[in-house]
Amino acid sequence: MLQVANIRANKEAYIEALKKRNFDASQIFSEVLELDETRRATQTELDETLAESNKLSKEIGMLFKTGEHQKANRLKEQTSELKENSKVLAEKLAETTAAMNRHLYNIPNIPNEIVPAGASEEDNEEVYKEGEVPQLEKDALPHWELAKKYDIIDFELGNKITGAGFPVYKGKGARLQRALIAYFLDRNVEVGYTEYQMPLMVNEASGYGTGQLPDKEGQMYHVTEDNLYLIPTAEVPVTNMYRDELLSEADLPIACTGYTPCFRREAGSYGAHVRGLNRLHQFDKVEIVRIEKPEDSYAALDTMVEHVKNILRELKLPYRILRLCGGDLGFTSALTYDFEVFSTAQDRWLEISSVSNFETFQANRLKLRYKTADGKKQLAHTLNGSSLALPRVLAGILENYQTPEGIRVPEVLVPYTGFDLIN
């Protein structure tokens, strides 16, 4: 979340910047700053009350030692009043702080200055494109029909077992899925990311830490009896490893990668554009997460973008990169680049990765700090990216690599699959 001191110092600039998100912050900023004034005044009064109480307690101890019991008892009455006042002030402080934080939790991140203004995905900027779209036969099929033809993904069986959006991968389809996961992890580890295998459920504090709560509460599966949430991305448990941590400058940068199934309710997603693998409730994804010093984070973002580019080059899939506009930017992000692969059979672009810099927004929620060489405590910057999300990558491979003989497997994946053709 935003830091109150920064809101106070940059109020008008922040209001203007948030207009890119179509978010009017005027009223909520005023309420936050008013609550902060009350909080600070209450904190000062509480500190003074506790200090006076401690001072009197020491005096009382001295008076009892010198036998001045009557005077000591009079002071004890004063300390009782002070303790009662301090209790009232502490409750007021907690209530004020909680009210202020409720507001802060609902304010999105300040977009980077290069984020374009815009209302929706239609206003995103294409900043890069690479790869040639293959020329397919006239009778080329979309991936959901290819999956049925070659018996590699069973959507109806998943629907029977669980419901729509929970496919069953079979035979060479399952092996290709496993190959992609291993390939993505290997590429990430090769460039310096440490691999983790994380829990698939997180507690409420973790959801708030990375910003999924309260913003995405309606999209998360909630295990109500235990108050746990199924993760929508490995970003949540991986980043939360560093919640409430004070790192040293020498620890940075930290680079993590992890594979997890991901779970999203995707409420309100209907229509032909969500057919097959285009939109699922359960899907596999390999994630990369970085924790950086503020001065290094945008260079790290560029490195992450180049890393995802290299993976797509090896897969030989046509792709493009979009800089998200304010209206399409994620709640926690300051700057996001979306990767999209071209689905030839569907004649449309499919999002396969988002690479984002959150600056201090998550770190402030997480209380993730590091100590500089001169001993100063400072919030870190957090970043994450999909490297990669599997369903639409798989859809792109099935559609773009289809031939009359069957579906060719990208050369880089053959050592992982053990076969080069699905037929």
Side-chain angles (χ1 to χ4, degrees), residues 149-184:
K149 177 179 178 179
Y150 294 108
D151 196 26
I152 54 175
I153 307 171
D154 195 325
F155 295 100
E156 293 178 2
L157 183 57
N159 193 23
K160 171 187 174 181
I161 296 167
T162 307
F166 295 87
V168 173
Y169 299 84
K170 303 168 62 178
K172 287 186 175 181
R175 289 170 65 185
L176 181 56
Q177 183 88 338
R178 178 158 50 93
L180 280 166
I181 293 166
Y183 163 68
F184 292 153

Side-chain angles (χ1 to χ4, degrees), residues 235-262:
E235 168 203 345
V236 182
V238 171
T239 312
N240 270 280
M241 289 195 292
Y242 299 96
R243 176 159 44 89
D244 298 320
E245 292 291 324
L246 176 61
L247 307 171
S248 71
E249 189 170 356
D251 295 327
L252 303 178
I254 291 171
C256 311
T257 186
Y259 151 70
T260 63
C262 303

Side-chain angles (χ1 to χ4, degrees), residues 313-386:
R313 285 175 185 141
E314 290 188 353
L315 289 172
K316 297 180 181 177
L317 288 171
Y319 70 94
R320 68 176 182 175
I321 303 175
L322 305 176
R323 182 187 293 128
L324 297 194
C325 72
D328 201 30
L329 194 64
F331 182 84
T332 54
S333 177
L335 178 63
T336 294
Y337 291 103
D338 266 9
F339 283 73
E340 296 183 336
V341 66
F342 191 73
S343 166
T344 309
Q346 298 180 72
D347 192 29
R348 58 189 292 255
W349 293 97
L350 302 174
E351 180 196 334
I352 54 169
S353 174
S354 289
V355 182
S356 304
N357 189 344
F358 307 111
E359 297 186 359
T360 60
F361 193 82
Q362 287 183 333
N364 192 32
R365 288 170 170 250
L366 294 159
K367 295 182 173 58
L368 166 54
R369 300 169 297 160
Y370 71 98
K371 188 180 288 187
T372 63
D374 59 4
K376 182 182 177 182
K377 294 176 182 177
Q378 187 169 331
L379 288 172
H381 278 196
T382 62
L383 304 92
N384 91 283
S386 313

Side-chain angles (χ1 to χ4, degrees), residues 2 31 33 43 91 115 117 147 168 174 285 287 346 355 388 407 418:
L2 301 181
E31 292 174 4
L33 295 177
Q43 183 69 67
E91 290 174 354
V115 170
V168 173
K285 184 152 68 85
E287 199 81 356
Q346 298 180 72
V355 182
L388 290 160
I407 301 166

Side-chain angles (χ1 to χ4, degrees), residues 37 85 96 185 188 290:
E37 288 294 331
N85 287 343
T96 304
L185 286 171
N188 296 344
R290 298 188 70 90

